Amino acid sequence: MDTQTLSRRRFLTATVFAAAAPGLAAAATADPYANSPLRKLTDADWKKKLPAAAYEVLRHEDTERPGTSALLNEHRKGTFVCMGCDLPLFKSEWKFESGTGWPSFYTAIPGALAKKTDLKIGVPRTEYHCAQCLGHQGHVFNDGPKPTGLRYCNNGVATKFIPA
Ligand SMILES: [Zn+2]
């Protein structure tokens, strides 16, 4: 390989890397709601803003008692939005009867939820929360129906239903 070919190869490698790197960096750190004023609210602010039961679930990962949510029997067409910030999370057509006593969905609106591993009960579970205000919504399991096989087990009190 002559010197000219070698330097051209180096140039191409460098160009490809430079083109790919910004995209990777953006994907790793992208948080479209990072500057939301909701992120600046204190725990006391949230306590004032929310009904007591919603506050305990959204801000302290409490779990509502199964079978207590009025939304279990909500069968109209519409959207379930975050009780903390009104971000749309689930569409009514994705809701299914899981028999668990919590409103359940097989998928969520893209980008609406963020996830983390939760070890609170000793076995790892996937916790999910509102991508905008970071309010806890529920846990997602792999025993849901088709087409996703997922079961988003949601605290009804953490959402509001907006009829279409
Ligand atoms: Zn929210």
Side-chain angles (χ1 to χ4, degrees):
M1 193 182 299
D2 60 44
T3 315
Q4 203 178 349
T5 306
L6 189 64
S7 60
R8 175 152 175 78
R9 282 176 72 115
R10 280 196 182 129
F11 170 77
L12 283 172
T13 306
T15 308
V16 167
F17 189 76
L24 291 173
T29 57
D31 180 352
Y33 303 111
N35 297 318
S36 167
L38 292 157
R39 297 282 183 90
K40 297 192 169 63
L41 296 184
T42 64
D43 188 64
D45 293 333
W46 282 113
K47 196 165 188 171
K48 263 182 273 175
K49 179 180 159 75
L50 294 168
Y55 163 78
E56 290 300 337
V57 170
L58 284 161
R59 307 316 305 181
H60 294 286
E61 298 191 22
D62 191 18
T63 299
E64 74 186 3
R65 273 200 307 126
T68 58
S69 174
L71 296 179
L72 284 169
N73 298 314
E74 179 56 72
H75 297 298
R76 288 173 293 171
K77 195 169 158 40
T79 307
F80 295 83
V81 306
C82 175
M83 179 60 105
C85 73
D86 295 337
L87 187 72
L89 307 178
F90 303 102
K91 292 185 178 172
S92 56
E93 54 263 46
W94 302 333
K95 191 169 182 278
F96 68 96
E97 300 308 319
S98 64
T100 59
W102 289 285
S104 302
F105 305 85
Y106 65 75
T107 192
I109 291 172
L113 300 173
K115 296 171 184 173
K116 73 171 194 292
T117 300
D118 171 357
L119 294 167
K120 274 186 182 173
I121 61 168
V123 291
R125 293 180 300 169
T126 303
E127 184 274 350
Y128 64 88
H129 47 274
C130 171
Q132 180 166 252
C133 73
L134 308 180
H136 170 67
Q137 290 290 330
H139 292 85
V140 59
F141 302 92
N142 290 319
D143 56 7
K146 288 179 181 175
T148 60
L150 297 175
R151 172 171 60 93
Y152 285 83
C153 185
N154 215 94
N155 290 282
V157 77
T159 66
K160 261 187 300 200
F161 179 71
I162 312 290

